[in-house]
Amino acid sequence: MDCGHLQFTLDGRLVGDIGELIAARYFDVRLHPRQQGRHDAVCRVGEQDLGVQIKCRVMSDAIDFTSEPDLLLVMRINREWTSWDLLYNGPGSIVTQGTALTLDNEGHLLRDNKRTKRRMNLEDFAGAGTQLPAGSLQVPERRTAAP
């Protein structure tokens, strides 16, 4: 598990870096060696390598998206920092579902052909993972936790 790029800085990346660390330990993902916009990691589903966006929150319930990832993990760490919950593991299309947003060739969100963002709340993901159609793509869990 290579997590050398994680910086754990107090500039807003701390919780996100911890979320990536949780994902690397409990899910079968390979973290990108440096921060990227659309995907934080890659996982293998069947014969296909898919990008994974990892979102993690503690205090805030808001998540801003500027692109639609292939797959999405959304986690919440409790305020005591003693446990975490997986709120969503599924297709990144949930970001544009039920909206008039479109995508450019690189997966960036567009409204009226201009780049935009979408703010979602953790409650938007609550229960969504349990309502996924059978056979929906998900980030595979590790069979055993990484050391």
Side-chain angles (χ1 to χ4, degrees), residues 5-138:
H5 75 286
L6 301 177
Q7 297 177 13
F8 303 102
T9 58
L10 298 178
D11 63 357
R13 289 187 50 189
L14 176 67
V15 175
D17 284 352
I18 291 171
E20 289 184 34
L21 190 62
I22 291 169
R25 181 172 171 97
Y26 293 99
F27 294 90
D28 195 9
V29 298
R30 295 180 313 278
L31 296 177
H32 288 306
R34 63 189 187 297
Q35 188 176 20
Q36 297 187 7
R38 186 172 174 209
H39 297 117
D40 299 307
V42 174
C43 73
R44 190 139 187 95
V45 178
E47 298 297 315
Q48 197 173 12
D49 283 335
L50 297 172
V52 180
Q53 179 67 243
I54 302 162
K55 297 292 188 180
C56 187
R57 295 292 182 265
V58 175
M59 302 299 276
S60 171
D61 287 339
I63 300 176
D64 290 327
F65 292 92
T66 58
S67 61
E68 180 184 282
D70 297 335
L71 293 172
L72 177 63
L73 288 174
V74 178
M75 297 172 271
R76 177 181 44 216
I77 299 174
N78 72 355
R79 292 178 187 231
E80 293 79 27
W81 293 84
T82 57
S83 64
W84 62 276
D85 295 310
L86 179 65
L87 301 180
Y88 182 80
N89 176 1
S93 58
I94 191 171
V95 173
T96 55
Q97 193 173 358
T99 71
L101 297 174
T102 58
L103 303 174
D104 67 12
N105 292 338
E106 297 173 349
H108 294 103
L109 302 180
L110 301 175
R111 183 182 319 272
D112 300 324
N113 290 322
K114 295 180 184 171
R115 285 193 180 178
T116 189
K117 67 179 180 180
R118 178 172 186 208
R119 175 163 284 182
M120 297 179 75
N121 293 309
L122 293 182
E123 64 191 34
D124 296 328
F125 298 100
T130 60
Q131 299 172 8
L132 290 173
S136 292
L137 294 178
Q138 292 186 296

